[in-house]
Amino acid sequence: MTHCVGFQLADEAATVKMGNQLAMLMEQGAVIYLHGDLGAGKTTLTRGVIQGFGHQGKVKSPTYTLVEPYELATANVYHFDLYRLGDPEELEYMGIRDYFSPTAICVVEWPEKGGEFIPTPDLDITLRYVGDARAIEIQSISPRGHSIVDKLKNHSE
């Protein structure tokens, strides 16, 4: 059974804040899939998650490197952007499975390009345009994801 919650995000700051909230609600590792058109806010949301775990510097999209690691005091966060991935098998050559440990936070943009080489997510998130704002839909897939979504629902009420 999945749990789902949706919010309106007025601007970039609201998107970063949502990422911060998600980070605060993760007690251990998680796999997060991000869906949405180019410019819909996937990297902005990821910046909020990474900053929520204490990162102070810039957060850039790993469009060409495929993964950007953030080894922080409170968590290891790995930001994947599979937009330019030619063949899912390339992930096997880069040792993708090593990143997905039970305690790591793995945020994956364009997960549909990863095929069976990336694990099932805990959270499946879609961002879309609504005029100048964004809408976010967060769907839980696993028990860990259910816990995060339930806490997010309670936190926002």
Side-chain angles (χ1 to χ4, degrees):
M1 182 177 146
T2 61
H3 295 78
C4 192
V5 64
F7 300 98
Q8 295 296 315
L9 304 172
D11 53 22
E12 183 175 340
T15 306
V16 170
K17 184 178 176 190
M18 176 58 69
N20 290 166
Q21 280 185 299
L22 286 170
M24 286 189 305
L25 299 175
M26 291 180 212
E27 294 173 4
Q28 51 186 321
V31 176
I32 302 168
Y33 283 8
L34 297 181
H35 305 277
D37 293 334
L38 287 171
K42 297 179 298 294
T43 299
T44 303
L45 182 71
T46 302
R47 182 170 69 229
V49 170
I50 293 166
Q51 290 173 346
F53 282 104
H55 180 68
Q56 299 294 317
K58 287 186 66 138
V59 173
K60 60 182 176 153
S61 181
T63 304
Y64 294 99
T65 58
L66 296 183
V67 63
E68 190 68 40
Y70 297 88
E71 295 179 356
L72 307 168
T74 55
N76 288 335
V77 184
Y78 301 104
H79 179 196
F80 297 88
D81 184 338
L82 305 183
Y83 182 71
R84 296 200 183 280
L85 186 67
D87 182 338
E89 219 164 85
E90 292 174 40
L91 296 173
E92 192 66 28
Y93 301 130
M94 69 177 267
I96 188 95
R97 296 179 204 277
D98 296 340
Y99 291 100
F100 290 92
S101 75
T103 57
I105 307 296
C106 294
V107 182
V108 185
E109 295 186 38
W110 303 98
E112 59 277 5
K113 294 185 173 258
E116 76 266 6
F117 294 97
I118 55 176
T120 302
D122 296 298
L123 296 175
D124 199 27
I125 299 176
T126 301
L127 290 143
R128 59 185 169 77
Y129 293 101
V130 179
D132 290 336
R134 304 285 187 276
I136 186 170
E137 182 180 287
I138 304 169
Q139 184 176 3
S140 65
I141 307 298
S142 70
R144 183 185 296 183
H146 300 336
S147 172
I148 295 167
V149 167
D150 289 344
K151 286 186 256 182
L152 191 58
K153 283 180 182 175
N154 294 335
H155 190 74
S156 65
E157 291 174 356

